[in-house]
Amino acid sequence: MNAKNTIEVEIYIGYSLLSTALALPDDGKVIAMDIHRKNFELGYPSMEQAGVAQKIDFREGPGLDTSDALLLEEKNHGFFDFIFVDADKDNYVNYHERLMKLIKVGGMIGYDNTLWNGAVGAADDEVLPKYVRYYKEYVCNINNVLASDPRIEISQVPVSNGTALCRIIM
Ligand SMILES: C[S@@+](CC[C@H](N)C(=O)[O-])C[C@H]1O[C@@H](n2cnc3c(N)ncnc32)[C@H](O)[C@@H]1O
């Protein structure tokens, strides 16, 4: 999709961050947000080894706060080509409204884990691990919000835990 300016809401070991950074042109930039600097430092040697470290702009802190900080600058509105979200699932709906202001028309947002271990299709009384049960409602909620958002077209990619790809059409 020729993305040049992107955002990653999460880092951890940096697998998806590295994939994004590798796909960007030499002058591309990825703003990478994580609450824990140690996660950024964990994957940083791989970024250096892959020759993409200069494309990464790390922002430490809660992703919602960092998104709000980006929104304070008018130049960031409708500026980003691609955004990938794999952080706090209980805030995906809160991210969505913010990120829709940062992404450009024709751009794409990916929300990871939208099949949530298959739990999105589980009956209410099905026995589920505690953390799966806890986030189920939040993940169902973001799927409903995305499905009813006329500004986007979505594709639920049924690989592993599921990723919802949203193409911004207005
Ligand atoms: C599932 S991991 C991401 C894995 C990553 N996609 C990869 O390929 O390695 C989730 C990450 O989100 C971060 N995180 C959790 N809550 C967050 C928040 N409120 N704001 C920013 N990052 C958060 C965690 O620190 C963790 O690094």
Side-chain angles (χ1 to χ4, degrees):
M1 62 183 293
N2 294 319
K4 194 168 172 183
N5 295 291
T6 75
I7 296 175
E8 297 274 314
V9 186
E10 46 70 31
I11 296 182
Y12 192 35
I13 59 168
Y15 182 87
S16 48
L17 173 59
L18 180 59
S19 304
T20 300
L22 283 169
L24 296 178
D26 288 344
D27 60 345
K29 287 276 176 250
V30 49
I31 294 178
M33 313 173 178
D34 204 290
I35 36 172
H36 299 303
R37 174 172 291 275
K38 69 174 167 46
N39 289 341
F40 172 61
E41 290 169 352
L42 186 67
Y44 194 73
S46 308
M47 312 292 162
E48 284 185 308
Q49 213 178 340
V52 297
Q54 78 288 351
K55 298 180 190 173
I56 298 164
D57 175 357
F58 173 59
R59 310 277 175 104
E60 186 179 15
L64 287 180
D65 293 354
T66 310
S67 304
D68 284 338
L70 288 175
L71 282 167
L72 289 177
E73 291 190 67
E74 193 68 35
K75 70 176 171 63
N76 289 325
H77 292 214
F79 179 67
F80 295 91
D81 305 295
F82 175 75
I83 302 176
F84 187 67
V85 188
D86 184 17
D88 37 339
K89 322 290 172 222
D90 39 354
N91 271 316
Y92 272 19
V93 169
N94 297 323
Y95 280 114
H96 187 59
E97 275 318 308
R98 289 163 169 83
L99 301 181
M100 284 298 293
K101 294 185 181 126
L102 294 170
I103 196 88
K104 63 173 57 161
V105 173
M108 188 174 287
I109 305 176
Y111 290 98
D112 205 18
N113 306 120
T114 43
L115 294 181
W116 200 235
N117 300 274
V120 290
D124 283 346
D125 59 354
E126 194 167 321
V127 178
L128 299 170
K130 201 172 166 189
Y131 85 98
V132 175
R133 161 77 52 205
Y134 174 77
Y135 287 106
K136 175 179 185 277
E137 186 188 329
Y138 293 105
V139 178
C140 288
N141 205 11
I142 184 67
N143 282 323
N144 288 333
V145 166
L146 298 180
S148 59
D149 188 337
R151 301 168 298 177
I152 59 176
E153 284 176 346
I154 61 172
S155 177
Q156 186 70 265
V157 183
V159 173
S160 185
N161 219 350
T163 300
L165 292 180
C166 313
R167 195 169 76 92
I168 290 49
I169 55 172
M170 66 168 84

